[in-house]
Amino acid sequence: MLHKKLINNLFLKEMKGFTRTISILLFIFLTSIVALAQFDSDNQNGGKRDEPLPQNIKETLAKQRIEDEKKEHQKLLDKGNKAVKMSEDLKKSFAKNNKLTTKDKDNLKDLEKLLKNIRKDLGGGDDEGEEEKPISMATAINVLADTTANLYQEIKKTSRYTISAVAIKSSNSILSILNFLRFGK
């Protein structure tokens, strides 16, 4: 008899634990269904909220967008300044050595990447026009430095709201000169 009572007590304790576990799992299951129903409802609305955003949130988002645009424009100016320095360094190195060193050729690759990035930031694409090819390497280096300086000045004139066709054309000209310096074409 004592043995039966012990077994019944153990069985009741196990059943309470089992019931508690089932209850927790049922609760998780039901909340998951509610969350999925809400998610599905949001997706049917295109993920848009039914109520408009409060004015202070709209203002905060607008300020953040303006700050992001200012940062992007400053990055563009920094890239332009770096391109000018790189082209001036190439000009000095060429004047000193009367040829392009291996380091200069690596710098030409880096300058090309930088200018493609600048052109992309300006909104330009791979618009390869018929550019007049320089006569010599020395002429190409001088034109590279001058055109890069002109590009930087043009970028400085623009605001974050404008797209400069002159700057895009300058970047394309510089890329053509870099192509001539790297490959002779």
Side-chain angles (χ1 to χ4, degrees):
M1 184 86 136
L2 183 62
H3 185 37
K4 270 187 171 181
K5 281 186 178 183
L6 286 172
I7 291 175
N8 281 340
N9 283 341
L10 285 174
F11 179 72
L12 289 175
K13 285 182 182 179
E14 289 295 321
M15 286 303 289
K16 285 181 183 177
F18 180 71
T19 306
R20 191 177 303 140
T21 304
I22 292 296
S23 298
I24 291 171
L25 289 174
L26 184 60
F27 176 75
I28 291 171
F29 178 71
L30 291 174
T31 53
S32 299
I33 289 174
V34 170
L36 285 173
Q38 180 65 35
F39 180 74
D40 190 42
S41 171
D42 286 347
N43 281 343
Q44 287 176 355
N45 292 338
K48 296 182 182 174
R49 301 174 65 153
D50 291 336
E51 69 273 356
L53 291 173
Q55 186 62 29
N56 61 346
I57 292 177
K58 287 181 184 178
E59 290 172 359
T60 302
L61 289 173
K63 287 178 185 177
Q64 184 64 42
R65 182 181 42 80
I66 290 169
E67 286 300 314
D68 290 345
E69 289 172 354
K70 285 180 182 178
K71 287 178 185 174
E72 289 299 318
H73 187 67
Q74 186 59 47
K75 284 181 185 177
L76 180 63
L77 289 170
D78 293 343
K79 289 175 189 176
N81 189 30
K82 184 177 178 181
V84 169
K85 287 180 182 176
M86 290 175 77
S87 65
E88 286 296 323
D89 290 344
L90 284 167
K91 184 177 178 180
K92 288 176 187 174
S93 176
F94 187 79
K96 179 181 174 184
N97 300 319
N98 206 24
K99 67 176 184 170
L100 290 174
T101 65
T102 306
K103 182 181 176 189
D104 292 337
K105 291 178 183 179
D106 291 338
N107 288 341
L108 283 173
K109 289 178 191 175
D110 295 339
L111 183 58
E112 182 179 16
K113 287 179 190 175
L114 182 62
L115 281 158
K116 284 182 178 180
N117 202 325
I118 289 171
R119 180 179 64 186
K120 185 181 110 226
D121 290 348
L122 289 169
D126 293 333
D127 190 24
E128 303 267 341
E130 282 297 313
E131 297 289 331
E132 190 173 312
K133 303 294 179 197
I135 297 172
S136 68
M137 193 74 83
T139 304
I141 294 287
N142 289 328
V143 171
L144 173 69
D146 294 342
T147 309
T148 306
N150 291 339
L151 171 65
Y152 180 61
Q153 292 304 318
E154 188 62 35
I155 292 172
K156 283 179 23 178
K157 289 180 195 175
T158 64
S159 72
R160 63 182 190 271
Y161 301 113
T162 59
I163 296 174
S164 172
V166 173
I168 293 170
K169 186 171 170 49
S170 294
S171 65
N172 285 334
S173 296
I174 294 167
L175 288 168
S176 176
I177 294 167
L178 287 170
N179 202 17
F180 172 80
L181 289 170
R182 287 186 62 207
F183 306 112
K185 21 175 173 167

